[in-house]
């Protein structure tokens, strides 16, 4: 696992704030030479240590916790990761062997849950938790790397998470092709986007900015938390009374350790993905944080392997 040095951490943090940030602007804000920032940033992207990719939002989202037959977990996780509708696929400890998030259309939800997922190799049974709203998605995760003034200078004007699931919107063929291109490479130049879609650079810029501003594609910088020195990642399955769900969720979303938090339907009210330095830090996070005062119970699953993050299939574990 690559562990970022001080400058690399700042570059990745800048990309989390603005995935398309020009190297020149980034260098000026960070107070570094443009050539150095461009070289180090390009190396991070080319090596795969960080990737800027897009997600096409859908109006229906469900978390699926799966239990597998002995010896079949990796095969099941691989199959889930290959699905185009999964955003993340994790192998975990606890009552489930793996957890995945699926984005789809409302009309397809029954088919996905009743027909497609049960056919997954090695699956024994599963539990589904429809997402009701987001408190934070991965694109909102901000480790405390940059000072407040630098973060503000780098922050993108693109619309951030509203919490609501995005309704489906019919797009033109060219817009759909632009979304597909940005999903594959969120830093593709407007000139390259125009060539790929068959429009002018100016049109590619105008339409891409519209798609980003109107939440038709979400860009995020994908990175392993361990590269920031955060060696423990856990999924918290939180129970809370109805009047406390919003307060707990918003409290979680304010913490830099929380990568993801969503209100869900089912036996739990919130699922949160948290990253900390070690097990002792996780214990403190669960037992002493302010949000825990309004939680009636928490089940903890430790993440063993991330096969897919942000729609990007990760390297197989060695």
């Amino acid at each position: 696992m690559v562990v970022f040095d001080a400058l690399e951490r700042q570059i990745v943090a800048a990309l989390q704030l603005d995935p398309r940030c020009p190297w020149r602007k980034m260098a000026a804000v960070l107070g570094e030479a443009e050539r150095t920032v461009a070289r180090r940033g390009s190396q991070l992207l080319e090596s795969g240590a960080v990737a800027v990719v897009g997600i096409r939002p859908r109006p229906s989202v469900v978390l699926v916790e799966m239990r597998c037959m002995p010896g079949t977990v990796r095969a099941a996780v691989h199959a889930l990761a290959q699905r185009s509708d999964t955003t993340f696929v994790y192998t975990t400890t606890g009552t489930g062997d793996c957890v995945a998030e699926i984005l789809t259309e409302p009309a397809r939800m029954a088919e996905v849950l009743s027909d497609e997922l049960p056919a997954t190799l090695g699956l024994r049974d599963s539990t589904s938790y429809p997402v009701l709203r987001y408190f934070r998605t991965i694109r909102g995760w901000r480790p405390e790397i940059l000072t407040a003034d630098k973060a503000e200078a780098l922050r993108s004007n693109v619309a951030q998470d509203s919490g609501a699931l995005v309704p489906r919107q019919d797009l033109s063929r060219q817009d759909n092709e632009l979304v597909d291109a940005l999903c594959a490479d969120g830093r593709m130049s407007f000139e390259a986007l125009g060539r790929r879609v068959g429009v002018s650079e100016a049109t590619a810029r105008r339409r891409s900015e519209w798609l980003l501003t109107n939440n038709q594609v979400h860009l995020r910088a994908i990175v392993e938390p361990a590269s920031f020195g955060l060696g423990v990642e856990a999924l918290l399955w939180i129970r809370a009374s109805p009047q406390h769900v919003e307060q707990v969720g918003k409290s979680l979303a304010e913490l830099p350790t929380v990568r993801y938090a969503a209100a869900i339907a089912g036996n739990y009210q919130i699922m949160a993905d948290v990253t900390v330095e070690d097990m002792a830090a996780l214990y403190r996070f669960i037992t002493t944080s302010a949000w825990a005062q309004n939680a009636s119970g928490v089940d903890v699953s430790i993440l063993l392997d991330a096969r897919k993050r942000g729609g990007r299939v990760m390297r197989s574990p060695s």
Side-chain angles (χ1 to χ4, degrees):
M1 173 62 63
V2 175
V3 178
F4 300 143
D5 63 25
L7 178 56
E8 289 171 337
R9 291 185 182 207
Q10 292 186 78
I11 291 172
V12 175
L15 290 173
Q16 289 178 314
L17 286 161
D18 181 2
R20 292 183 64 83
C21 183
W23 300 128
R24 175 174 295 181
K25 176 183 176 181
M26 189 184 299
V29 173
L30 298 181
E32 300 283 346
E34 180 183 349
R35 176 178 295 183
T36 300
V37 170
R39 175 174 55 83
R40 298 289 293 279
S42 297
Q43 288 172 347
L44 288 170
L45 292 167
E46 291 166 4
S47 70
V50 60
V52 174
V53 296
I55 290 288
R56 185 192 291 261
R58 299 294 186 184
S60 291
V61 183
V62 62
L63 298 177
V64 179
E65 185 180 35
M66 301 178 63
R67 288 157 288 278
C68 303
M69 299 295 290
T72 65
V73 175
R74 287 201 176 187
V77 166
H78 177 76
L80 286 171
Q82 297 306 309
R83 293 181 60 99
S84 61
D85 55 4
T86 54
T87 58
F88 61 73
V89 181
Y90 301 151
T91 304
T92 64
T93 66
T95 57
D97 295 308
C98 60
V99 176
E101 182 186 57
I102 297 175
L103 276 61
T104 189
E105 301 294 334
R108 272 192 36 81
M109 186 63 76
E111 181 181 354
V112 169
L113 296 179
S114 301
D115 300 328
E116 296 178 8
L117 287 183
T120 303
L121 178 65
L123 176 65
R124 189 175 68 205
D125 61 78
S126 65
T127 305
S128 56
Y129 302 95
V131 171
L132 304 177
R133 65 153 294 180
Y134 289 115
F135 298 106
R136 169 176 288 173
T137 64
I138 301 303
R139 71 171 178 162
W141 178 48
R142 306 281 187 264
E144 293 182 306
I145 305 297
L146 300 173
T147 60
D149 58 331
K150 289 183 178 180
E152 185 60 33
L154 288 164
R155 199 177 307 278
S156 170
N157 292 325
V158 172
Q160 298 301 309
D161 294 326
S162 65
L165 301 181
V166 178
R168 186 178 186 278
Q169 183 167 333
D170 290 328
L171 300 177
S172 68
R173 177 191 62 81
Q174 290 178 337
D175 281 350
N176 275 309
E177 290 178 357
L178 284 171
V179 170
D180 289 341
L182 289 168
C183 284
D185 179 3
R187 288 185 65 83
M188 186 179 295
S189 69
F190 292 119
E191 180 184 2
L193 286 168
R195 288 200 306 269
R196 178 161 174 165
V197 178
V199 297
S200 68
E201 179 179 348
T203 298
R205 178 188 296 273
R206 177 174 54 82
R207 294 308 302 164
S208 295
E209 291 177 348
W210 184 90
L211 292 166
L212 290 165
T213 301
N214 288 275
N215 279 314
Q216 296 307 301
V217 59
H218 295 168
L219 297 185
R220 68 273 311 275
I222 304 301
V223 61
E224 285 289 348
S227 296
F228 283 118
L230 302 170
V232 173
E233 185 170 358
L235 304 184
L236 307 187
W237 302 88
I238 302 168
R239 297 181 183 88
S241 59
Q243 67 268 30
H244 290 147
V245 171
E246 187 77 3
Q247 184 176 355
V248 172
K250 288 183 175 179
S251 295
L252 286 165
E254 293 174 356
L255 302 173
T257 47
V258 176
R259 301 181 69 248
Y260 173 103
I264 57 178
N267 294 332
Y268 304 95
Q269 285 66 58
I270 297 172
M271 195 281 271
D273 179 345
V274 304
T275 54
V276 291
E277 293 83 0
D278 51 32
M279 289 295 191
L282 179 61
Y283 177 78
R284 292 192 298 272
F285 182 84
I286 296 169
T287 58
T288 65
S289 298
W291 65 266
Q293 298 176 10
N294 291 313
S296 58
V298 181
D299 289 351
V300 182
S301 301
I302 303 300
L303 193 146
L304 300 175
D305 175 58
R307 192 69 185 90
K308 191 175 191 179
R309 291 190 187 275
R312 177 187 182 230
V313 177
M314 310 299 282
R315 293 190 179 95
S316 299
S318 55

